[in-house]
Amino acid sequence: MPPRYDFRTPRLFVADALSAGTAVPLDKGQSNYLANVLRLGAGDAVLVFNGRDGEWLAALQPEGRKTVSLSIAEQTRPQHEPCDLHYLFAPLKHARLDYMVQKAVELGVSRLQPVTTRHTQAARVNLERMQANAIEAAEQCGILTIADVVEAMPLAKVLETWSDGRVLIFCDEDAEVRDPIAALSVVQKGTPLAVLIGPEGGFAEDERTMLLRQPNVVRLALGPRILRADTAAVAALSVVQSVLGDWS
């Protein structure tokens, strides 16, 4: 049986529409990466995707000393609908936020929503850096869609505009049901989901009260140990995907 994905051919995200016979110009950074870092030459294969038209096989076409384009040949994988899984998180600082964004994308989230809370450590969120990390993770892991990256919002404002149709899975060390599988069993598979991870200092009591007043809230315990926020993200998203997502 052939491999599900081709991980040997370089893979790039582009914004342009993709179809057979078209040419896609690359920006300076992408051109440098293919021609000078990977040392590809004319005619070498590259996989390309845009989050809308599936994945396509293309050939490298140098157009000068510093720029190249891609000649689109044939589709290798059709586009599919991503999981309807939002990830809400209290921002972290620099490298740990980079790691968390990359792992969340690898685990199939469709939306990245920074949420500020009473004990949030990072005051500012670099959305461009988050987007770059989301794209890099998708390029490296064979993912066909790019998660939406949205502006940071206070927790209270997020909950004020919450859709009753989306279940909020709230990671809470004080959850009464200690078994995460049992806690998630009350949710019907196929329901729109959101996973919320708080700051390392935890939620303030008024924030926890506000969360528990929301409709369609599931409290999820993540075991007997205290996890760092980036580790908790991997643990929570893995459990959710295995029980309610596209792993099962």
Side-chain angles (χ1 to χ4, degrees):
M1 180 180 293
R4 188 176 180 187
Y5 304 126
D6 178 359
F7 288 112
R8 297 182 179 180
T9 304
R11 195 166 181 270
L12 284 182
F13 170 79
V14 298
D16 300 68
L18 299 172
S19 60
T22 60
V24 174
L26 299 182
D27 62 32
K28 184 177 179 180
Q30 292 173 319
S31 296
N32 178 69
Y33 173 68
L34 294 179
N36 299 322
V37 178
L38 297 183
R39 297 188 179 280
L40 300 184
D44 284 343
V46 178
L47 293 171
V48 64
F49 69 107
N50 61 7
R52 306 182 304 275
D53 301 321
E55 181 184 78
W56 293 74
L57 181 65
L60 192 69
Q61 299 293 335
E63 295 190 346
R65 295 180 60 186
K66 296 184 178 181
T67 61
V68 299
S69 66
L70 295 175
S71 177
I72 309 301
E74 61 182 3
Q75 190 180 64
T76 54
R77 287 190 288 153
Q79 190 68 34
H80 60 76
E81 287 296 320
C83 294
D84 191 356
L85 175 59
H86 295 183
Y87 177 50
L88 288 67
F89 59 95
L92 301 173
K93 295 181 180 179
H94 304 304
R96 290 178 59 198
L97 178 60
D98 294 345
Y99 171 88
M100 187 171 67
V101 168
Q102 292 166 4
K103 299 313 166 189
V105 170
E106 291 175 34
L107 288 164
V109 304
S110 58
R111 182 184 178 97
L112 294 159
Q113 170 70 72
V115 176
T116 56
T117 67
R118 184 82 51 80
H119 302 306
T120 296
Q121 296 179 351
R124 300 177 58 187
V125 181
N126 187 331
L127 296 182
E128 290 185 3
R129 181 166 176 157
M130 283 181 56
Q131 186 73 61
N133 276 291
I135 289 172
E136 181 180 353
E139 288 176 336
Q140 294 180 354
C141 296
I143 297 168
L144 292 180
T145 56
I146 302 297
D148 293 331
V149 176
V150 298
E151 292 278 354
M153 295 175 60
L155 176 62
K157 187 173 181 180
V158 170
L159 297 180
E160 284 175 4
T161 59
W162 194 259
S163 169
D164 291 347
R166 184 173 300 276
V167 171
L168 177 60
I169 300 170
F170 159 38
C171 294
D172 183 5
E173 63 271 19
D174 293 332
E176 295 176 359
V177 179
R178 307 307 295 173
D179 180 353
I181 307 301
L184 294 173
S185 66
V186 301
V187 182
Q188 184 176 358
K189 189 171 181 180
T191 302
L193 304 172
V195 173
L196 171 63
I197 300 284
E200 301 227 324
F203 291 104
E205 283 307 311
D206 61 323
E207 292 172 335
R208 178 177 276 103
T209 299
M210 185 167 48
L211 284 163
L212 296 178
R213 287 175 178 168
Q214 290 293 120
N216 295 330
V217 166
V218 174
R219 301 168 73 185
L220 186 68
L222 294 177
R225 288 164 291 278
I226 300 299
L227 304 179
R228 298 197 322 181
D230 46 346
T231 307
V234 176
L237 291 170
S238 297
V239 171
V240 169
Q241 283 285 48
S242 65
V243 177
L244 299 172
D246 56 9
W247 291 13
S248 56

